[in-house]
Amino acid sequence: MPAYKAPLHDIRFLMNEVLDYPAHYKTLSNGENADPDTVDMILEGAADYCENVLSPLNQSGDEEGCHFDNGEVTTPKGFKEAYDQFVMGGWQGLSYPEEFGGQGLPMSLNLIKSEMMGTANWSFTMYPGLSSGCMNTILQFGTDEQKQTYMPKLVEGTWSGTMCLTEPQCGTDLGQVKTKAEPQADGSYKITGTKIFISAGEHDLTENIIHIVLARLPDAPAGTRGISLFIVPKFMPTADGGVGERNTVACGSIEHKMGIRASATAVLNFDNATGYLIGEVNKGLHAMFTFMNTARIGTAVQGIAHAELSFQGALPYAKDRMSMRALSGKKDPDKVADAIIHHADVRRMLLTQKAIAEGGRSMIYYAAQIADKMTDALARGDQAAFEDYDDKLGFYTPILKGFLTELGLEAANHGMQVYGGHGYIKEWGMEQIARDARIATLYEGTTGVQALDLIGRKVLLSSKGKVVREYTAEILKFCAAHARNKYLRRFAWDLTKLCAQWNTLTVRIMLAARKDRDIVSSASVDFLMFSGYVMMAYFWAQQAVVASEKLEAGNGQETAEFYKAKIKVADFYFDRLLPRAQGHAESMVTTSRTLTSLPVEHFSFDY
């Protein structure tokens, strides 16, 4: 298994030189303490914890997995001790209010910390990661009493949280939720039903687990308009903030999974469990989207995490493994063969991994700045600003989640391929990365669901294409500003053409949908992938701009090599990966008849 090394140079490059995080933090009401020295200390501390505590447990945790015994779940050896260190370090409360024991720093720092943790050990990161969504939901929709009851322990990390949506008969279509909530005389509710695929639903890391549960009141309307949201603790909190009697929620089993095996995915049975309404009656789905958007951005991070870790595993192997001679002549003349990194196809795979990891990281870090502004607007009570940033993040979220997880899986597979047959063997750890990466395109909404959300809800229904016009206008301003830059001229021209094409494609689908409703669905994944390739191209161009400016200004040799590499990888992305967008462009405007004309009864394997 690759030993994780935090890419601090690249992280600092994006934060300080490309996206100007120091200036960004000065605009936030909670950014005063996020000064460069504090941020640097957090980055160094997180890197040390991830490299020396979490990374060594990644492969052993996968091999051991979680243990289930009569409703109790035990995490792999070393996880409890690692989690205790996580709590002692105050890492859970990094970006949560000081009034609840947190450090009150911007949300983006929590996300950057989570990227490091997730790359080092994604299974472990699932446990505190689910708590973040729980806390965000309680912060935005909980009563003052609920916040005082649950937030201090969740922020401390001694309690953890989950989200309980999926049931045996429904996943994405939450209108089919059957879990019942019966109102009680004391204002509480009795929750009855079964939830499945509950990440971190049961474990031994914390003294209590707070479940955020979707359920339906007896007189609720049918469908999604009749769903409410409830807080259901594993143990009932006591008046002094401790743990009381056990609630009637039990773990029926845990799943035997392809990957992230050290993360417990539970079946939870609620049997007249005591719960408390959070938010408004029958508006639970609206509140749950706070949780779901948090989880979707977190899942997008998984895409770049697996790309980064697979690259870190593949690169040293490619430099050490000797096989055949390079076509351009001997590179290691004193050895029997050349290192495989000298073969063009191996370089193609390594550069693809690097382009995905570093391009995706820049996309995520920019979205994190929007999340900071959205959170800040909410804290200031500026509803108009909150909704504006929420809309912007809503456009990015399905692209980040769908596109980056698909590319992260591709990068993980490239890592195996670089190793050849050894990549298929467990001891190297590369196959684990591919297995872990596979779930990212599935949970929190499959790629197809994200694509429908993007084109159906965000682009066509909500904005009539305006959101694409506004985003491409931002890119075109960038292109105009750098059209004369000798390093950026070709990037600016390619992006200009792609922006025009993006808008044209949006209008074509909008018009075609008047007669062919299925085209929205048939075009959706191609539209999402096209959008992702263009967006990543924009962020690679931004990195190339900064790198070229730094080179012009003159830098030390080591730093200069870093900037030269940025420009070279940007060249590779535009030459080798961006052309994929054209295939998606052609596909998305093809009639849906090729998908819909075959009758259902003709889908058969029995001829």
Side-chain angles (χ1 to χ4, degrees):
M1 169 60 67
Y4 172 65
K5 179 68 176 177
L8 291 179
H9 195 166
D10 194 56
I11 290 171
R12 290 185 174 114
F13 169 69
L14 292 175
M15 292 184 71
N16 299 327
E17 300 177 60
V18 178
L19 299 173
D20 198 359
Y21 263 71
H24 163 70
Y25 285 147
K26 289 179 181 178
T27 68
L28 305 176
S29 58
N30 67 337
E32 181 181 356
N33 292 329
D35 58 89
D37 288 341
T38 300
V39 170
D40 202 55
M41 180 178 67
I42 290 168
L43 295 179
E44 292 285 350
D48 179 68
Y49 174 69
C50 293
E51 292 171 3
N52 298 306
V53 179
L54 296 187
S55 180
L57 297 174
N58 195 19
Q59 189 168 21
S60 62
D62 175 75
E63 291 173 352
E64 181 182 351
C66 292
H67 306 276
F68 176 80
D69 182 21
N70 194 29
E72 301 296 325
V73 175
T74 306
T75 52
K77 183 180 179 180
F79 270 48
K80 183 68 171 70
E81 292 77 10
Y83 189 83
D84 289 344
Q85 291 186 51
F86 176 80
V87 173
M88 289 178 61
W91 291 111
Q92 188 68 292
L94 191 67
S95 296
Y96 289 95
E98 294 177 275
E99 64 179 296
F100 301 121
Q103 298 170 52
L105 293 165
M107 290 294 290
S108 55
L109 281 173
N110 189 61
L111 185 140
I112 293 166
K113 171 211 74 180
S114 296
E115 182 217 331
M116 291 192 216
M117 289 179 59
T119 311
N121 192 324
W122 188 263
S123 287
F124 179 92
T125 306
M126 292 285 287
Y127 295 99
L130 270 294
S131 296
S132 294
C134 176
M135 288 188 280
N136 292 345
T137 305
I138 293 173
L139 272 177
Q140 186 168 348
F141 296 100
T143 64
D144 289 341
E145 181 181 1
Q146 288 170 341
K147 293 174 186 177
Q148 292 300 326
T149 299
Y150 298 103
M151 287 300 297
K153 291 291 188 179
L154 286 166
V155 168
E156 185 179 59
T158 50
W159 292 4
S160 60
T162 73
M163 63 176 181
C164 300
L165 290 73
T166 305
E167 298 181 4
Q169 78 287 350
C170 72
T172 301
D173 185 3
L174 294 171
Q176 298 183 47
V177 163
K178 292 181 179 179
T179 299
K180 297 184 294 184
E182 297 281 351
Q184 304 298 299
D186 63 357
S188 67
Y189 294 79
K190 291 298 182 183
I191 311 298
T192 301
T194 296
K195 298 289 185 178
I196 66 170
F197 300 159
I198 309 306
S199 298
E202 179 61 34
H203 54 80
D204 60 347
L205 301 182
T206 59
E207 64 185 26
N208 202 0
I209 303 174
I210 310 305
H211 304 293
I212 303 295
V213 184
L214 283 181
R216 194 180 297 279
L217 292 167
D219 58 350
T224 57
R225 295 183 179 181
I227 301 175
S228 300
L229 195 61
F230 301 87
I231 299 174
V232 184
K234 175 182 175 180
F235 291 97
M236 303 306 296
T238 60
D240 62 356
V243 171
E245 64 180 18
R246 177 74 183 255
N247 204 354
T248 51
V249 51
C251 180
S253 64
I254 56 174
E255 303 295 346
H256 301 280
K257 301 174 296 185
M258 175 180 176
I260 55 170
R261 297 181 63 249
S263 169
T265 303
V267 174
L268 294 181
N269 297 314
F270 298 83
D271 184 12
N272 280 323
T274 299
Y276 304 94
L277 181 72
I278 179 171
E280 298 181 48
V281 169
N282 297 332
K283 293 187 178 180
L285 203 58
H286 170 67
M288 181 56 82
F289 267 108
T290 296
F291 207 147
M292 291 170 70
N293 283 333
T294 302
R296 285 172 177 170
I297 295 174
T299 307
V301 170
Q302 187 173 356
I304 63 172
H306 292 314
E308 177 68 41
L309 187 61
S310 190
F311 175 68
Q312 291 194 14
L315 181 60
Y317 185 85
K319 290 180 177 180
D320 291 341
R321 177 72 169 179
M322 301 292 161
S323 183
M324 301 180 290
R325 289 296 184 187
L327 295 180
S328 56
K330 292 181 180 180
K331 306 300 180 184
D332 299 301
D334 58 332
K335 297 181 180 178
V336 297
D338 292 327
I340 63 173
I341 196 170
H342 297 297
H343 300 309
D345 188 58
V346 173
R347 289 198 166 214
R348 173 187 63 84
M349 292 185 283
L350 292 171
L351 282 166
T352 299
Q353 291 178 302
K354 186 173 177 64
I356 290 169
E358 296 178 11
R361 181 175 294 119
S362 61
M363 293 165 69
I364 290 284
Y365 284 19
Y366 180 74
Q369 289 183 321
I370 299 176
D372 279 344
K373 294 173 182 176
M374 185 176 72
T375 304
D376 185 57
L378 185 65
R380 292 184 287 103
D382 188 341
Q383 188 63 27
F386 170 79
E387 291 177 0
D388 181 54
Y389 291 127
D390 189 42
D391 286 344
K392 289 181 178 179
L393 194 60
F395 172 64
Y396 287 120
T397 298
I399 298 174
L400 297 178
K401 197 282 181 185
F403 177 72
L404 292 181
T405 57
E406 289 287 349
L407 264 61
L409 178 59
E410 177 188 344
N413 284 326
H414 283 321
M416 287 181 64
Q417 193 77 6
V418 168
Y419 275 71
H422 290 285
Y424 203 62
I425 305 301
K426 276 184 173 290
E427 66 185 85
W428 292 97
M430 301 305 288
E431 58 83 36
Q432 180 191 333
I433 301 171
R435 286 188 289 106
D436 288 352
R438 188 64 187 89
I439 186 61
T441 67
L442 303 176
Y443 60 7
E444 308 310 332
T446 63
T447 303
V449 168
Q450 301 302 324
L452 275 175
D453 178 50
L454 174 65
I455 191 171
R457 182 179 293 122
K458 306 296 174 52
V459 174
L460 300 184
L461 186 62
S462 297
S463 73
K464 302 294 189 294
K466 180 182 177 183
V467 66
V468 174
R469 293 192 297 273
E470 289 180 343
Y471 187 67
T472 53
E474 175 187 326
I475 298 176
L476 289 171
K477 287 181 181 178
F478 168 88
C479 293
H482 298 285
R484 296 176 181 271
N485 185 306
K486 66 179 180 180
Y487 293 110
L488 267 294
R489 194 174 296 122
R490 53 81 56 97
F491 298 157
W493 178 238
D494 286 350
L495 281 170
T496 299
K497 291 186 292 184
L498 284 163
C499 285
Q501 186 178 22
W502 198 354
N503 282 289
T504 300
L505 291 166
T506 303
V507 173
R508 286 186 64 180
I509 294 170
M510 194 182 307
L511 294 174
R514 295 177 180 179
K515 295 181 179 179
D516 180 9
R517 300 295 293 176
D518 283 322
I519 197 170
V520 176
S521 178
S522 69
S524 60
V525 170
D526 286 306
F527 185 87
L528 181 145
M529 296 302 290
F530 178 91
S531 302
Y533 280 115
V534 177
M535 186 178 285
M536 185 175 278
Y538 175 39
F539 281 95
W540 264 115
Q542 291 180 65
Q543 293 186 65
V545 165
V546 174
S548 66
E549 290 173 347
K550 296 295 182 178
L551 286 172
E552 291 286 348
N555 290 274
Q557 184 63 25
E558 182 179 348
T559 306
E561 293 305 316
F562 174 85
Y563 294 131
K564 289 176 183 177
K566 280 293 179 185
I567 295 172
K568 293 295 184 183
V569 179
D571 283 335
F572 168 83
Y573 181 84
F574 273 77
D575 285 344
R576 294 278 180 162
L577 300 186
L578 186 57
R580 297 177 182 182
Q582 295 311 313
H584 291 294
E586 291 180 20
S587 236
M588 76 174 77
V589 292
T590 301
T591 174
S592 68
R593 287 196 301 274
T594 52
L595 298 178
T596 60
S597 61
L598 183 66
V600 172
E601 58 270 20
H602 290 175
F603 277 86
S604 174
F605 50 81
D606 183 17
Y607 294 106

